[in-house]
Amino acid sequence: SWFISGRHDNNEAFGSHNTGTAEWGYWLQDNLQFSLNYGTAFKEPTFNDLYFPDVGFFIGNSQLQPEKSNSFAMNINGYQSWGNWGINIYNTHIRDLIVYQFPQNENVDRASISGIEFEAETQIAGLDIAFNATILDPTDNVTGNILPRRAKRLANLHMDKQWGAWSVGASWKVSSYRYDNAANTTRLSGYGIVDVRAAYQLDQDWSIQASVSNLFDKEYQTINNYNSLDTIGMVSLSYTP
């Protein structure tokens, strides 16, 4: 199978850019698919990136240039009696990557993001289980440092069960450490958080849902000096005719 797409942008500030994607897939077996894809991208800075007024911790940078990137990926996906699985390997090269460096966004001349992702889904004793993990190498190719605010290891585990009108579930989300700045001198610790949820179908049209995010009130930061939310509980009533 083939997939090809193309796009043309004509931006008054940054000129014309042609981008596109090409993907090829092949079934090695009835339940095993291999694919390759290559793509290019163009992303202009937003109005706020360029001209936001000085508010102390952020100010626009009118000298920003748009990001330009090209990516290559290789994927293999399996479909088994016990569930589905996939492995994705990719490499992206970016010119003028836009990153925040106090107090404004700046361009990174050359950067690359390489990674491998694993994912699997199955069902055990009526329990739906989904797992995914990512190993990243986000690098500033000029300095050799890790790109700011990007963790190198990520993983998620989701478990859900439904019986009758009830459904319950839980998620465990894990992240390794990251650096808040380009110089890699401000390190933010890794973390793991647990979310839980439950729902009840009152009738054909009405349902009620409850969820708790960050169940164990984990204190963590993905941005330096900007604390993430504490434990949050929410109840909602939904009507779907």
Side-chain angles (χ1 to χ4, degrees):
S1 60
W2 286 90
F3 174 81
I4 298 175
S5 68
R7 172 178 171 138
H8 174 76
D9 287 270
N10 187 4
N11 186 292
E12 289 185 354
F14 300 109
S16 296
H17 296 268
N18 297 313
T19 55
T21 300
E23 183 170 346
W24 170 78
Y26 183 77
W27 287 93
L28 301 171
Q29 299 175 3
D30 290 342
N31 61 350
L32 191 64
Q33 185 186 39
F34 175 78
S35 62
L36 297 170
N37 66 69
Y38 176 80
T40 59
F42 160 78
K43 176 186 175 183
E44 69 272 15
T46 67
F47 183 85
N48 284 340
D49 289 339
L50 294 167
Y51 306 117
F52 202 83
D54 189 350
V55 291
F57 58 86
F58 185 79
I59 184 174
N61 180 359
S62 62
Q63 303 304 309
L64 283 176
Q65 296 300 310
E67 296 179 358
K68 299 171 284 292
S69 65
N70 59 81
S71 301
F72 173 80
M74 179 174 63
N75 314 301
I76 187 165
N77 294 283
Y79 307 90
Q80 313 294 332
S81 59
W82 56 264
N84 306 323
W85 61 273
I87 301 175
N88 310 307
I89 301 172
Y90 55 88
N91 180 258
T92 300
H93 291 272
I94 310 167
R95 293 296 305 269
D96 296 319
L97 175 67
I98 298 173
V99 299
Y100 176 74
Q101 288 299 290
F102 179 84
Q104 62 186 6
N105 284 330
E106 297 179 358
N107 288 117
V108 174
D109 186 36
R110 297 189 310 277
S112 63
I113 301 174
S114 301
I116 180 169
E117 297 176 346
F118 306 90
E119 55 186 18
E121 298 179 356
T122 190
Q123 188 177 78
I124 300 175
L127 188 67
D128 296 318
I129 301 174
F131 171 79
N132 62 72
T134 301
I135 301 173
L136 279 179
D137 182 20
T139 304
D140 182 329
N141 290 342
V142 176
T143 65
N145 290 340
I146 299 172
L147 292 172
R149 297 182 179 175
R150 296 176 186 266
K152 299 182 71 173
R153 305 288 185 269
L154 300 164
N156 298 282
L157 175 65
H158 308 286
M159 296 183 292
D160 291 274
K161 184 175 178 61
Q162 183 168 353
W163 68 97
W166 285 94
S167 64
V168 295
S171 296
W172 183 35
K173 305 173 183 178
V174 181
S175 172
S176 68
Y177 72 89
R178 67 193 69 198
Y179 291 104
D180 191 65
N181 59 344
N184 288 182
T185 56
T186 303
R187 175 168 163 160
L188 306 177
S189 299
Y191 60 89
I193 59 174
V194 175
D195 301 336
V196 294
R197 52 195 170 271
Y200 180 73
Q201 192 72 36
L202 298 170
D203 58 25
Q204 182 177 349
D205 301 328
W206 289 92
S207 64
I208 187 169
Q209 299 93 27
S211 63
V212 178
S213 301
N214 194 4
L215 178 65
F216 299 111
D217 200 20
K218 177 72 173 181
E219 293 186 5
Y220 67 99
Q221 294 180 338
T222 59
I223 299 173
N224 193 39
N225 296 321
Y226 191 88
N227 291 328
S228 298
L229 293 174
D230 298 325
T231 299
I232 301 292
M234 180 178 294
V235 177
S236 59
L237 183 66
S238 301
Y239 174 72
T240 306

